[in-house]
Structure formats: structure tokens, C-alpha cells
Amino acid sequence: MADFGIVIHGGAGTILKNKMTPDLEKEFQEGLTESLQAGYDILAGGGTSLDAVQKAVLVMEDNPLFNAGKGSVFTHDGKNEMDAAIMDGRSLLAGAVAGVRNVKNPIALARLVMEKTPHLLLARDGAEEFAKAHGVTFMPDDYFFTERRWQQLRESKLVESLRRAKAAEAEIQDSDHKHGTVGAVALDKSGNLAAATSTGGMSNCRYGRIGDSPIIGVGTYANNRTCAVSTTGHGEFFMRAVTAYDVSALMEYRGQNLAEAAKSAIFDRLTSLGGTGGLVAIDRQGNIALPFNTPGMYRGFFLPGGRPETGIYAP
């Protein structure tokens, strides 16, 4: 147990060591560590859990390795559409945005929705209009372009074409680059919990698809009575399982501890639906949980008296 701390994820999926170069693995580890350090410094200085999770997520949004902000995947039409959410465990207030384009840091916009409007979720044109009214930083399309994500879109379209031609299933069917997310949960010295999640969505998606990340109780949830949770994986399944709230409910109504509740939410409920992914969580006593049912999940935690701990592959 710890009196404060932070836990993060940078996405879950088919992350295999034999497909990862040493240099790329090092870059991911450094990106996770930078995010952890940024959030931890706020907490160690007496800052709020809300500020800590926002900062940790913002650091990953600015890193092109992760599927959020600058590193967001492309839709079928070659656009970047982003979602984000943040929640305060003390007040149960939350803010979220969905389907926004060209916003440099969607997590900052979600925080503004929470603090500057009576609403919880703003989407697309309305969210962007609100962002401009509040001086949020926008970036041109070129800022969000990364060759890695563009090639992933091409691969995804090729697989789609092969499927339509009734070809064999492709190996990248459930790869980590098809869908990914970043997220953070934290406990501050005042005993308050917070959660934040941001994503570039699912590669090659159509029809204005929105996933679980900006939906409170699904991809993001925080309640001082129980825990803070951020999820990552195939969003349609997390929506059906209401996974983030499920962890909290299992603790509050069944009396399970954090480890039991998080494990049950992923390995019993989500898995039984056929869903893949994971979550990170922290409770009001500073206990943490990082379960996932995929070959890997970019993840890390930083607790007092320790150092930033990061991981990529399944144990």
C-alpha cells in the first residue's frame, strides 16, 4: 500500500518480443518512464491526482509511439479522429470528447469539458467549436502523420480486401496496432483518485466509430469509495462489459479487493464475451492492479520509495 502513486498503460494487444527491435523496445520503455515521471512529480509535490493523470496522458499524446494525440491511427478515409476522458474520484465529475480532429491534446480538452461546461461528453464539430472558444491548441494534419501509422492503415486495408475475397485470415487480425489507447490512474496525498484515457481509435474504422475510451464507466472511471480505472483493448467488448465500472462495482457491492475485482473484470467477464485487452487501476489505499489477457500491454507504475517500473510483455 502507498499513500500516493500512479499507474499507466500505453495500449494492449498482440505485442510479441520477437517482433520488437531492441531500439523500438527501448523507445517504448523510455516513453512510459517519461509519462510516469511527469505524473509522479506532480503527486510527490502535493499536486492533485487530476493534474497527475492529465499530465501523464498528455506526455503519451505527444509521443508518436502511442495511439493517442500525435501517434493516432488513421480511419479508413485517412483521417485522425481522437477520443479522451477524465474523471475526478472525489466529486464524480467527468469530462470527455469524441471524434475530434486536429486537437493537439484531447485530454486537456476533456478536462475543460468537465470544468467549463454543464455537460460530460462533447463530440466532433461541437467539441472542436468549444475547443476553439477556449484557446485549445490545434495542429495541422501533417503533425499527426507518422509513417508507421500510415503503413498500418495500408496493411489493414489489404487484410480487409483479402477477407472480402474470402482469403485466409491474416496474422495482423488482432494486432496491437489495430486498436490502442493510453491511460493513467492516480492517488494523491489527499486521498483523491482520478482516471484519464485518450485514444486515436481503431485503425481503418468507418462510419464515425467511437470506442470505449470517452465513455464514463466503460473506458474510464474513478470513485474515491473504491478505485480509479483506465482500460485498453477492443472497445466494443469493453462497452458490452462496462469494464471500468465493473471493477468498482465488484469492490463496492461484492466486497472484493482491487486485485480480485480487476482480475474478475478482465479474465471472467471481458474474456467470456470474447474481448481482448487490459486495464490499470489503483484504489484508495494505494494498491494497484494491471491485468490483461493479451500477449502484451505497455504499462508502468511509480510508487513512493521506488522507481518507475515498466513492462511490455506478458509475464
Side-chain angles (χ1 to χ4, degrees), residues 265-283:
I266 293 296
F267 293 103
D268 295 338
R269 298 171 187 268
L270 181 74
T271 303
S272 69
L273 291 174
T276 56
L279 62 83
V280 296
I282 189 168
D283 68 14

Side-chain angles (χ1 to χ4, degrees), residues 5-315:
I6 186 165
V7 193
I8 66 170
H9 69 76
T14 309
I15 306 167
L16 303 174
K17 190 172 182 61
N18 62 4
K19 301 289 186 181
M20 183 84 70
T21 67
D23 287 345
L24 185 58
E25 181 176 307
K26 181 182 178 183
E27 288 179 24
F28 272 112
Q29 298 279 13
E30 290 174 347
L32 293 168
T33 299
E34 182 184 0
S35 172
L36 284 169
Q37 189 70 61
Y40 183 87
D41 286 347
I42 290 173
L43 297 171
T48 68
S49 54
L50 269 173
D51 286 344
V53 296
Q54 179 177 334
K55 182 61 175 180
V57 166
L58 188 148
V59 167
M60 289 187 282
E61 286 181 338
D62 288 346
N63 188 327
L65 288 175
F66 301 105
N67 180 18
K70 184 175 178 62
S72 294
V73 297
F74 290 93
T75 67
H76 182 79
D77 296 327
K79 307 297 184 182
N80 305 110
E81 297 180 353
M82 299 166 285
D83 310 328
I86 192 167
M87 185 168 185
D88 178 9
R90 179 184 59 84
S91 63
L92 299 187
L93 292 174
V97 293
V100 297
R101 296 193 55 218
N102 297 103
V103 174
K104 183 175 185 287
N105 293 115
I107 195 62
L109 181 56
R111 178 80 176 266
L112 283 172
V113 172
M114 180 179 74
E115 296 181 341
K116 302 295 184 181
T117 81
H119 310 304
L120 192 153
L121 174 62
L122 299 182
R124 303 190 181 281
D125 292 348
E128 292 168 19
E129 179 183 351
F130 171 77
K132 291 173 183 176
H134 285 78
V136 168
T137 301
F138 279 70
M139 300 298 286
D141 289 344
D142 288 350
Y143 171 82
F144 299 93
F145 182 90
T146 61
E147 185 63 27
R148 175 169 167 258
R149 296 303 188 193
W150 187 253
Q151 292 304 321
Q152 288 168 359
L153 174 61
R154 294 184 63 184
E155 291 173 2
S156 185
K157 286 186 173 182
L158 176 61
V159 170
E160 183 179 61
S161 176
L162 291 172
R163 285 181 186 156
R164 289 182 176 180
K166 298 184 179 180
E169 290 291 324
E171 289 183 3
I172 64 171
Q173 177 179 355
D174 190 34
S175 64
D176 64 299
H177 60 241
K178 184 177 180 183
H179 42 72
T181 318
V182 304
V185 295
L187 170 71
D188 63 32
K189 291 182 177 180
S190 297
N192 294 315
L193 296 165
T197 312
S198 182
T199 184
M202 179 181 287
S203 183
N204 197 31
C205 69
R206 304 193 194 195
Y207 314 121
R209 179 259 184 190
I210 293 171
D212 61 310
S213 298
I215 303 177
I216 299 304
V218 177
T220 309
Y221 192 72
N223 187 335
N224 277 7
R225 292 170 59 90
T226 53
C227 62
V229 182
S230 176
T231 72
T232 177
H234 196 153
E236 278 69 12
F237 292 94
F238 282 86
M239 286 188 273
R240 291 163 61 191
V242 198
T243 302
Y245 178 70
D246 194 28
V247 179
S248 176
L250 288 168
M251 294 177 68
E252 185 168 9
Y253 303 127
R254 285 198 175 179
Q256 293 186 357
N257 62 38
L258 180 68
E260 293 170 337
K263 182 178 179 181
S264 179
I266 293 296
F267 293 103
D268 295 338
R269 298 171 187 268
L270 181 74
T271 303
S272 69
L273 291 174
T276 56
L279 62 83
V280 296
I282 189 168
D283 68 14
R284 57 185 180 178
Q285 286 82 38
N287 300 300
I288 65 173
L290 305 87
F292 56 97
N293 66 1
T294 51
M297 180 172 77
Y298 302 108
R299 62 197 185 277
F301 62 89
F302 198 170
L303 302 176
R307 57 184 180 83
E309 300 283 351
T310 63
I312 297 177
Y313 314 107

